[in-house]
Amino acid sequence: MVFLIFFLIISNLLAKMPTDSKIFVAGHNGLVGSSICRVLRENGYNNLILKNHNELDLENESLVDEFFKDNKPDYVFLSAAKVGGILANNNYPVDFLTKNLRIELNVISSSYKYGVKKLLFLGSSCIYPRLCSQPIKEEYLLNGFLEPTNEWYAIAKIAGIKMCQAYNKQYNTNFISCMPTNLYGPEDNFSLLGSHVIPGLMLRIHNAKINNESEVVIWGTGSPRREFLYIDDLAEALFALMNEYNSNEIINIGCGYDLTINELAHNIAAVVNYKGKLIFDSSKPDGTPQKLLNISKIKSFGWAPKMNLINGLEITYKWFIENIDSK
C-alpha cells in the first residue's frame, strides 16, 4: 500500500508540466487560445510558442512539419479550428469539414513525429447525437444521428478524437480530448455571419439599440435549451486536465445548467439595455432541441465553473464596447 501511494504521488508529479516547458498553443488569437495563454502566464508558464495564421498555416502539412521540427514543443493545446454558427455551418459545409480535418491531421501527426509529451485536443459538444438523454454523458458519442445543421463540423471533431485515440493505441502517446459546451467571453468573434449564438445575438441587439430599431428578429422558435460556459472557466479546466488527466477517453467541460434561447436573448437584451421587442422566426432552424453536458467526470478533479451567466455577459459586452464597437 505504501509503495502504491508513493507510486501515485511520483506519477502525478511527473505528469505535471514544468514551468519552463515549451508550450505550443495552436489558435492563440482565438477565443479559446487567448484564454489558455492568459491562464498559462498567470501560473508561471512563459515559454509559449505562438504563431498567427500569417506566420504558420496549420492546413499546410509541410509548414507544420517544419515548425515542429524547428521548435520541438513539449506540450500542445490544439484549439485552432474553423468555427461558426448555424448559418455558417449550413453555407460552408466543405470548409468546416476539410479545414478542420487538415488542421487536426497536421498538428496531431507532427506532435507524434517530433516527440510532444502531451497534446490536448479541443472537441465540441456538437459531436453528440441530436437526440440523446440529458445531461449528455461521454459514452453517448456515436450512439445516434448528428444534428444536420452542424454535422460537417461534428464529423471533423469526431475524427480528431479518434485520431488522438488511434495514436495512443498504436504509439502509446498521451493525446487527450475534451468536449467543451458552448463558449463565450472576451475575444469572441462578433460578426453577423460567422459568430456563435451569444456574440451573434449581442451584436444584433446592440446594433438595434444604437439604430433605434423597434424589434430584433431571431432565428428559430427560441425553445431549444443551451448551456454556456465562460471562456476563462474553460481555460482553467484545460490547464487542470493538461496537468492531471491522462485517459484515452473523452471528457466533458460545461457549467452544469442550461436555459432556452428565448431566455438567453432576453438576458442579453437586459445587459445591452435594449427596450425593443425580440421576435422569433419559427421558419428558421432551431438546431438540437437540448444540449446539456454531464460534467461529473471533470468535477471529480476538483474543477468547477466560477462565472455566472449574467456577470459573464456583462464582462463580454463591456469588452465588445471597448474593442469592437469603438472601431
Side-chain angles (χ1 to χ4, degrees):
M1 177 62 71
V2 174
F3 174 78
L4 176 60
I5 294 173
F6 176 77
F7 174 78
L8 291 174
I9 291 172
I10 294 300
S11 297
N12 189 48
L13 289 173
L14 290 174
K16 293 183 181 297
M17 295 185 293
T19 54
D20 61 350
S21 300
K22 290 192 292 184
I23 303 173
F24 174 43
V25 182
H28 75 281
N29 283 326
L31 174 65
V32 176
S34 59
S35 188
I36 291 172
C37 291
R38 287 197 298 272
V39 170
L40 287 170
R41 290 181 176 122
E42 288 169 1
N43 285 275
Y45 294 85
N46 294 303
N47 194 4
L48 306 184
I49 308 171
L50 308 175
K51 297 288 184 181
N52 60 39
H53 180 73
N54 292 332
E55 296 171 315
L56 177 61
D57 180 2
L58 294 176
E59 293 181 54
N60 187 308
E61 180 181 1
S62 61
L63 291 179
V64 173
D65 184 271
E66 182 180 0
F67 165 80
F68 273 82
K69 180 180 179 180
D70 292 342
N71 291 275
K72 292 189 172 56
D74 299 309
Y75 297 89
V76 172
F77 288 87
L78 180 43
S79 62
K82 168 69 175 176
V83 298
I86 287 179
L87 180 61
N89 273 271
N90 270 331
N91 291 345
Y92 307 105
V94 173
D95 291 354
F96 279 86
L97 181 62
T98 60
K99 288 179 178 292
N100 285 303
L101 286 174
R102 290 191 190 105
I103 291 169
E104 294 161 6
L105 179 59
N106 292 340
V107 174
I108 292 171
S109 60
S110 288
S111 292
Y112 161 69
K113 183 177 179 180
Y114 293 103
V116 167
K117 296 176 182 177
K118 191 170 184 179
L119 176 144
L120 188 153
F121 172 69
L122 267 292
S124 168
S125 59
C126 73
I127 64 165
Y128 292 112
R130 181 177 188 273
L131 301 174
C132 61
S133 300
Q134 304 287 323
I136 303 170
K137 297 180 179 180
E138 289 87 351
E139 55 261 37
Y140 295 166
L141 177 62
L142 298 177
N143 280 347
F145 293 104
L146 296 170
E147 163 58 39
T149 59
N150 60 21
E151 65 176 326
W152 317 108
Y153 180 71
I155 287 170
K157 287 297 183 180
I158 292 170
I161 293 167
K162 292 302 178 183
M163 205 179 303
C164 288
Q165 292 176 340
Y167 271 95
N168 291 342
K169 180 178 181 179
Q170 187 168 341
Y171 297 115
N172 198 32
T173 52
N174 190 7
F175 296 168
I176 63 173
S177 301
C178 64
M179 304 303 116
T181 189
N182 300 288
L183 305 169
Y184 73 101
E187 309 288 343
D188 211 337
N189 173 23
F190 288 84
S191 70
L192 292 176
L193 295 179
S195 63
H196 284 119
V197 59
I198 285 183
L201 285 174
M202 191 170 284
L203 174 62
R204 296 181 62 204
I205 292 172
H206 170 80
N207 287 344
K209 174 190 172 182
I210 63 175
N211 293 325
N212 295 314
E213 297 173 3
S214 62
E215 64 181 37
V216 175
V217 178
I218 300 169
W219 273 32
T221 63
S223 62
R225 302 188 67 86
R226 292 290 182 270
E227 175 186 22
F228 297 94
L229 182 68
Y230 187 67
I231 190 59
D232 284 353
D233 282 335
L234 172 70
E236 292 284 356
L238 299 181
F239 179 73
L241 291 175
M242 188 62 104
N243 277 306
E244 305 288 348
Y245 190 69
N246 299 291
S247 172
N248 197 42
E249 301 303 320
I250 63 176
I251 185 167
N252 290 336
I253 310 175
C255 69
Y257 67 91
D258 60 7
L259 75 167
T260 67
I261 297 299
N262 188 316
E263 292 169 328
L264 172 67
H266 282 88
N267 283 333
I268 293 174
V271 168
V272 174
N273 195 28
Y274 174 66
K275 304 300 184 182
K277 293 182 179 179
L278 304 181
I279 309 297
F280 289 86
D281 181 359
S282 60
S283 69
K284 303 299 183 183
D286 268 337
T288 303
Q290 185 179 20
K291 194 164 57 173
L292 175 65
L293 296 181
N294 184 308
I295 57 171
S296 58
K297 184 186 290 187
I298 190 169
K299 288 179 73 175
S300 70
F301 286 87
W303 174 88
K306 300 173 184 176
M307 184 67 70
N308 68 58
L309 181 63
I310 299 301
N311 288 346
L313 291 175
E314 290 172 345
I315 294 170
T316 302
Y317 186 57
K318 182 176 184 293
W319 182 90
F320 166 81
I321 294 296
E322 294 174 350
N323 293 274
I324 304 295
D325 188 55
S326 61
K327 295 181 179 179

